[in-house]
Amino acid sequence: MDLQEFHEKPEVTAAVAEAVEKTLSLIGEDPAREGLVKTPRRVGKALQFLCKGYNEDPEAILRAALFEEDYRQMVVVKDIDFYSLCEHHMLPFFGKVHVAYIPNGRITGLSKIARVVDVYARRLQVQERLTTQIKDCIQNTLNPLGVMVVIEAEHLCMQMRGVQKQHAMTVTSDFTGAFTRQETREEFLKLIKE
């Protein structure tokens, strides 16, 4: 399935709509009110889109554009926008993903890195797991000399509720191979800050 495609499953939409209608009643709303009549179905469709990553294979995406190349310097794809849902409150978190890998005879199409980010982001997530999943996918599929992933994100579960801290940024990182060397990590961090 192409990442850009989205196919709604009517049975899922109907089941989610039923639950949302009940939820609206439980919080004191009238699901029959004009502005809310279509909301349950909209939520059903939206949740399927926001969680479509469960139906996609990120390693297959990378394998679809593998090329033999004798390049052994850092490849960096930075500032990849992402949007995800926190698995604890199902509220959005979003920000930027920065990825680097050092090829070991094989490279992949650059857009495939961004698509891998989207596949994992389009699942209920925590930022820490998202960081590791992206790293592991690239490491397992390309077998590079090393991979590093840094994610910078804002979490609406921290901003809209709970501690209500606006503009708080959460940064996570994970790395393998050549990036265990401090100078290699520092080179990557310098490149993503430029």
Side-chain angles (χ1 to χ4, degrees), residues 18-41:
E18 186 178 321
V20 170
E21 190 171 319
K22 183 173 183 174
T23 302
L24 288 170
S25 294
L26 289 171
I27 64 169
E29 264 295 352
D30 175 9
R33 184 166 61 79
E34 181 183 17
L36 293 175
V37 170
K38 294 182 181 177
T39 297
R41 289 195 61 75

PDB file of all heavy atoms in Angstrom, residues 18-41:
ATOM      1  N   GLU A  18     -20.052   4.903  16.745  1.00  0.00           N
ATOM      2  CA  GLU A  18     -20.943   4.492  17.832  1.00  0.00           C
ATOM      3  C   GLU A  18     -20.314   4.826  19.194  1.00  0.00           C
ATOM      4  O   GLU A  18     -20.984   5.345  20.090  1.00  0.00           O
ATOM      5  CB  GLU A  18     -21.211   2.985  17.725  1.00  0.00           C
ATOM      6  CG  GLU A  18     -22.221   2.471  18.709  1.00  0.00           C
ATOM      7  CD  GLU A  18     -22.487   0.980  18.525  1.00  0.00           C
ATOM      8  OE1 GLU A  18     -22.533   0.509  17.376  1.00  0.00           O
ATOM      9  OE2 GLU A  18     -22.621   0.287  19.554  1.00  0.00           O
ATOM     10  N   ALA A  19     -19.029   4.536  19.340  1.00  0.00           N
ATOM     11  CA  ALA A  19     -18.335   4.833  20.601  1.00  0.00           C
ATOM     12  C   ALA A  19     -18.239   6.338  20.846  1.00  0.00           C
ATOM     13  O   ALA A  19     -18.399   6.810  21.980  1.00  0.00           O
ATOM     14  CB  ALA A  19     -16.945   4.200  20.590  1.00  0.00           C
ATOM     15  N   VAL A  20     -17.985   7.114  19.793  1.00  0.00           N
ATOM     16  CA  VAL A  20     -17.865   8.570  19.936  1.00  0.00           C
ATOM     17  C   VAL A  20     -19.220   9.171  20.304  1.00  0.00           C
ATOM     18  O   VAL A  20     -19.303  10.072  21.148  1.00  0.00           O
ATOM     19  CB  VAL A  20     -17.293   9.210  18.647  1.00  0.00           C
ATOM     20  CG1 VAL A  20     -17.398  10.731  18.686  1.00  0.00           C
ATOM     21  CG2 VAL A  20     -15.838   8.782  18.451  1.00  0.00           C
ATOM     22  N   GLU A  21     -20.274   8.663  19.705  1.00  0.00           N
ATOM     23  CA  GLU A  21     -21.612   9.165  20.035  1.00  0.00           C
ATOM     24  C   GLU A  21     -21.908   8.944  21.521  1.00  0.00           C
ATOM     25  O   GLU A  21     -22.398   9.839  22.211  1.00  0.00           O
ATOM     26  CB  GLU A  21     -22.658   8.460  19.163  1.00  0.00           C
ATOM     27  CG  GLU A  21     -24.025   9.099  19.262  1.00  0.00           C
ATOM     28  CD  GLU A  21     -24.999   8.548  18.234  1.00  0.00           C
ATOM     29  OE1 GLU A  21     -24.601   8.325  17.076  1.00  0.00           O
ATOM     30  OE2 GLU A  21     -26.169   8.356  18.623  1.00  0.00           O
ATOM     31  N   LYS A  22     -21.560   7.779  22.016  1.00  0.00           N
ATOM     32  CA  LYS A  22     -21.765   7.490  23.447  1.00  0.00           C
ATOM     33  C   LYS A  22     -20.882   8.406  24.305  1.00  0.00           C
ATOM     34  O   LYS A  22     -21.330   8.926  25.334  1.00  0.00           O
ATOM     35  CB  LYS A  22     -21.449   6.020  23.730  1.00  0.00           C
ATOM     36  CG  LYS A  22     -21.698   5.638  25.167  1.00  0.00           C
ATOM     37  CD  LYS A  22     -21.548   4.161  25.404  1.00  0.00           C
ATOM     38  CE  LYS A  22     -21.890   3.857  26.859  1.00  0.00           C
ATOM     39  NZ  LYS A  22     -21.915   2.434  27.129  1.00  0.00           N
ATOM     40  N   THR A  23     -19.639   8.601  23.873  1.00  0.00           N
ATOM     41  CA  THR A  23     -18.714   9.478  24.607  1.00  0.00           C
ATOM     42  C   THR A  23     -19.257  10.897  24.675  1.00  0.00           C
ATOM     43  O   THR A  23     -19.206  11.543  25.727  1.00  0.00           O
ATOM     44  CB  THR A  23     -17.317   9.461  23.949  1.00  0.00           C
ATOM     45  OG1 THR A  23     -16.834   8.120  23.937  1.00  0.00           O
ATOM     46  CG2 THR A  23     -16.343  10.363  24.681  1.00  0.00           C
ATOM     47  N   LEU A  24     -19.796  11.394  23.573  1.00  0.00           N
ATOM     48  CA  LEU A  24     -20.371  12.744  23.568  1.00  0.00           C
ATOM     49  C   LEU A  24     -21.483  12.861  24.604  1.00  0.00           C
ATOM     50  O   LEU A  24     -21.566  13.852  25.337  1.00  0.00           O
ATOM     51  CB  LEU A  24     -20.893  13.097  22.172  1.00  0.00           C
ATOM     52  CG  LEU A  24     -19.825  13.370  21.118  1.00  0.00           C
ATOM     53  CD1 LEU A  24     -20.447  13.456  19.727  1.00  0.00           C
ATOM     54  CD2 LEU A  24     -19.049  14.632  21.443  1.00  0.00           C
ATOM     55  N   SER A  25     -22.315  11.839  24.676  1.00  0.00           N
ATOM     56  CA  SER A  25     -23.395  11.846  25.679  1.00  0.00           C
ATOM     57  C   SER A  25     -22.834  11.827  27.094  1.00  0.00           C
ATOM     58  O   SER A  25     -23.317  12.551  27.978  1.00  0.00           O
ATOM     59  CB  SER A  25     -24.309  10.635  25.482  1.00  0.00           C
ATOM     60  OG  SER A  25     -25.001  10.736  24.261  1.00  0.00           O
ATOM     61  N   LEU A  26     -21.797  11.018  27.317  1.00  0.00           N
ATOM     62  CA  LEU A  26     -21.213  10.885  28.658  1.00  0.00           C
ATOM     63  C   LEU A  26     -20.585  12.185  29.159  1.00  0.00           C
ATOM     64  O   LEU A  26     -20.577  12.437  30.370  1.00  0.00           O
ATOM     65  CB  LEU A  26     -20.169   9.763  28.678  1.00  0.00           C
ATOM     66  CG  LEU A  26     -20.734   8.350  28.581  1.00  0.00           C
ATOM     67  CD1 LEU A  26     -19.608   7.337  28.373  1.00  0.00           C
ATOM     68  CD2 LEU A  26     -21.534   8.007  29.837  1.00  0.00           C
ATOM     69  N   ILE A  27     -20.055  13.006  28.256  1.00  0.00           N
ATOM     70  CA  ILE A  27     -19.436  14.266  28.703  1.00  0.00           C
ATOM     71  C   ILE A  27     -20.448  15.405  28.795  1.00  0.00           C
ATOM     72  O   ILE A  27     -20.083  16.534  29.094  1.00  0.00           O
ATOM     73  CB  ILE A  27     -18.232  14.676  27.824  1.00  0.00           C
ATOM     74  CG1 ILE A  27     -18.670  14.979  26.394  1.00  0.00           C
ATOM     75  CG2 ILE A  27     -17.136  13.629  27.874  1.00  0.00           C
ATOM     76  CD1 ILE A  27     -17.575  15.635  25.549  1.00  0.00           C
ATOM     77  N   GLY A  28     -21.734  15.103  28.504  1.00  0.00           N
ATOM     78  CA  GLY A  28     -22.782  16.103  28.666  1.00  0.00           C
ATOM     79  C   GLY A  28     -23.205  16.789  27.377  1.00  0.00           C
ATOM     80  O   GLY A  28     -23.941  17.777  27.414  1.00  0.00           O
ATOM     81  N   GLU A  29     -22.752  16.299  26.247  1.00  0.00           N
ATOM     82  CA  GLU A  29     -23.127  16.886  24.958  1.00  0.00           C
ATOM     83  C   GLU A  29     -24.333  16.157  24.385  1.00  0.00           C
ATOM     84  O   GLU A  29     -24.675  15.048  24.801  1.00  0.00           O
ATOM     85  CB  GLU A  29     -21.963  16.796  23.968  1.00  0.00           C
ATOM     86  CG  GLU A  29     -21.111  18.029  23.885  1.00  0.00           C
ATOM     87  CD  GLU A  29     -21.831  19.272  23.349  1.00  0.00           C
ATOM     88  OE1 GLU A  29     -22.977  19.192  22.880  1.00  0.00           O
ATOM     89  OE2 GLU A  29     -21.205  20.342  23.412  1.00  0.00           O
ATOM     90  N   ASP A  30     -24.959  16.782  23.421  1.00  0.00           N
ATOM     91  CA  ASP A  30     -26.080  16.187  22.716  1.00  0.00           C
ATOM     92  C   ASP A  30     -25.609  15.771  21.328  1.00  0.00           C
ATOM     93  O   ASP A  30     -25.422  16.620  20.460  1.00  0.00           O
ATOM     94  CB  ASP A  30     -27.223  17.202  22.605  1.00  0.00           C
ATOM     95  CG  ASP A  30     -28.390  16.691  21.780  1.00  0.00           C
ATOM     96  OD1 ASP A  30     -28.401  15.486  21.418  1.00  0.00           O
ATOM     97  OD2 ASP A  30     -29.292  17.495  21.487  1.00  0.00           O
ATOM     98  N   PRO A  31     -25.381  14.467  21.079  1.00  0.00           N
ATOM     99  CA  PRO A  31     -24.889  14.022  19.783  1.00  0.00           C
ATOM    100  C   PRO A  31     -25.842  14.339  18.627  1.00  0.00           C
ATOM    101  O   PRO A  31     -25.442  14.315  17.474  1.00  0.00           O
ATOM    102  CB  PRO A  31     -24.719  12.510  19.925  1.00  0.00           C
ATOM    103  CG  PRO A  31     -24.951  12.188  21.342  1.00  0.00           C
ATOM    104  CD  PRO A  31     -25.566  13.372  22.008  1.00  0.00           C
ATOM    105  N   ALA A  32     -27.089  14.675  18.948  1.00  0.00           N
ATOM    106  CA  ALA A  32     -28.056  15.026  17.904  1.00  0.00           C
ATOM    107  C   ALA A  32     -28.019  16.520  17.570  1.00  0.00           C
ATOM    108  O   ALA A  32     -28.702  16.966  16.646  1.00  0.00           O
ATOM    109  CB  ALA A  32     -29.462  14.625  18.355  1.00  0.00           C
ATOM    110  N   ARG A  33     -27.212  17.289  18.312  1.00  0.00           N
ATOM    111  CA  ARG A  33     -27.087  18.723  18.025  1.00  0.00           C
ATOM    112  C   ARG A  33     -26.515  18.913  16.630  1.00  0.00           C
ATOM    113  O   ARG A  33     -25.649  18.159  16.185  1.00  0.00           O
ATOM    114  CB  ARG A  33     -26.180  19.366  19.094  1.00  0.00           C
ATOM    115  CG  ARG A  33     -26.051  20.865  18.973  1.00  0.00           C
ATOM    116  CD  ARG A  33     -25.437  21.497  20.221  1.00  0.00           C
ATOM    117  NE  ARG A  33     -24.102  21.062  20.547  1.00  0.00           N
ATOM    118  CZ  ARG A  33     -22.981  21.512  19.951  1.00  0.00           C
ATOM    119  NH1 ARG A  33     -23.045  22.375  18.961  1.00  0.00           N
ATOM    120  NH2 ARG A  33     -21.802  21.060  20.353  1.00  0.00           N
ATOM    121  N   GLU A  34     -26.984  19.927  15.929  1.00  0.00           N
ATOM    122  CA  GLU A  34     -26.620  20.138  14.524  1.00  0.00           C
ATOM    123  C   GLU A  34     -25.112  20.054  14.264  1.00  0.00           C
ATOM    124  O   GLU A  34     -24.674  19.372  13.347  1.00  0.00           O
ATOM    125  CB  GLU A  34     -27.147  21.498  14.045  1.00  0.00           C
ATOM    126  CG  GLU A  34     -26.839  21.782  12.599  1.00  0.00           C
ATOM    127  CD  GLU A  34     -27.295  23.155  12.138  1.00  0.00           C
ATOM    128  OE1 GLU A  34     -27.566  24.032  12.998  1.00  0.00           O
ATOM    129  OE2 GLU A  34     -27.371  23.351  10.914  1.00  0.00           O
ATOM    130  N   GLY A  35     -24.321  20.719  15.067  1.00  0.00           N
ATOM    131  CA  GLY A  35     -22.875  20.737  14.846  1.00  0.00           C
ATOM    132  C   GLY A  35     -22.181  19.416  15.134  1.00  0.00           C
ATOM    133  O   GLY A  35     -21.034  19.212  14.738  1.00  0.00           O
ATOM    134  N   LEU A  36     -22.877  18.507  15.835  1.00  0.00           N
ATOM    135  CA  LEU A  36     -22.259  17.239  16.232  1.00  0.00           C
ATOM    136  C   LEU A  36     -22.809  16.018  15.487  1.00  0.00           C
ATOM    137  O   LEU A  36     -22.267  14.920  15.648  1.00  0.00           O
ATOM    138  CB  LEU A  36     -22.439  17.011  17.739  1.00  0.00           C
ATOM    139  CG  LEU A  36     -21.690  17.968  18.657  1.00  0.00           C
ATOM    140  CD1 LEU A  36     -22.051  17.699  20.115  1.00  0.00           C
ATOM    141  CD2 LEU A  36     -20.196  17.845  18.450  1.00  0.00           C
ATOM    142  N   VAL A  37     -23.838  16.192  14.686  1.00  0.00           N
ATOM    143  CA  VAL A  37     -24.476  15.054  14.035  1.00  0.00           C
ATOM    144  C   VAL A  37     -23.482  14.211  13.237  1.00  0.00           C
ATOM    145  O   VAL A  37     -23.492  12.984  13.295  1.00  0.00           O
ATOM    146  CB  VAL A  37     -25.652  15.514  13.136  1.00  0.00           C
ATOM    147  CG1 VAL A  37     -26.170  14.374  12.279  1.00  0.00           C
ATOM    148  CG2 VAL A  37     -26.777  16.079  13.996  1.00  0.00           C
ATOM    149  N   LYS A  38     -22.599  14.859  12.504  1.00  0.00           N
ATOM    150  CA  LYS A  38     -21.647  14.122  11.659  1.00  0.00           C
ATOM    151  C   LYS A  38     -20.295  13.881  12.338  1.00  0.00           C
ATOM    152  O   LYS A  38     -19.424  13.220  11.782  1.00  0.00           O
ATOM    153  CB  LYS A  38     -21.436  14.867  10.340  1.00  0.00           C
ATOM    154  CG  LYS A  38     -22.684  14.918   9.479  1.00  0.00           C
ATOM    155  CD  LYS A  38     -22.412  15.627   8.173  1.00  0.00           C
ATOM    156  CE  LYS A  38     -23.679  15.692   7.333  1.00  0.00           C
ATOM    157  NZ  LYS A  38     -23.459  16.432   6.081  1.00  0.00           N
ATOM    158  N   THR A  39     -20.123  14.425  13.532  1.00  0.00           N
ATOM    159  CA  THR A  39     -18.845  14.308  14.233  1.00  0.00           C
ATOM    160  C   THR A  39     -18.413  12.859  14.490  1.00  0.00           C
ATOM    161  O   THR A  39     -17.254  12.516  14.231  1.00  0.00           O
ATOM    162  CB  THR A  39     -18.875  15.116  15.545  1.00  0.00           C
ATOM    163  OG1 THR A  39     -19.044  16.495  15.207  1.00  0.00           O
ATOM    164  CG2 THR A  39     -17.595  14.939  16.339  1.00  0.00           C
ATOM    165  N   PRO A  40     -19.277  11.976  14.959  1.00  0.00           N
ATOM    166  CA  PRO A  40     -18.820  10.601  15.214  1.00  0.00           C
ATOM    167  C   PRO A  40     -18.222   9.919  13.980  1.00  0.00           C
ATOM    168  O   PRO A  40     -17.183   9.266  14.074  1.00  0.00           O
ATOM    169  CB  PRO A  40     -20.092   9.900  15.703  1.00  0.00           C
ATOM    170  CG  PRO A  40     -20.882  10.991  16.365  1.00  0.00           C
ATOM    171  CD  PRO A  40     -20.655  12.194  15.463  1.00  0.00           C
ATOM    172  N   ARG A  41     -18.842  10.089  12.825  1.00  0.00           N
ATOM    173  CA  ARG A  41     -18.291   9.484  11.603  1.00  0.00           C
ATOM    174  C   ARG A  41     -16.981  10.164  11.209  1.00  0.00           C
ATOM    175  O   ARG A  41     -16.046   9.496  10.748  1.00  0.00           O
ATOM    176  CB  ARG A  41     -19.296   9.564  10.451  1.00  0.00           C
ATOM    177  CG  ARG A  41     -20.479   8.624  10.657  1.00  0.00           C
ATOM    178  CD  ARG A  41     -21.295   8.420   9.402  1.00  0.00           C
ATOM    179  NE  ARG A  41     -20.577   7.844   8.292  1.00  0.00           N
ATOM    180  CZ  ARG A  41     -20.221   6.558   8.188  1.00  0.00           C
ATOM    181  NH1 ARG A  41     -20.499   5.714   9.152  1.00  0.00           N
ATOM    182  NH2 ARG A  41     -19.579   6.129   7.117  1.00  0.00           N
TER     183      ARG A  41
END
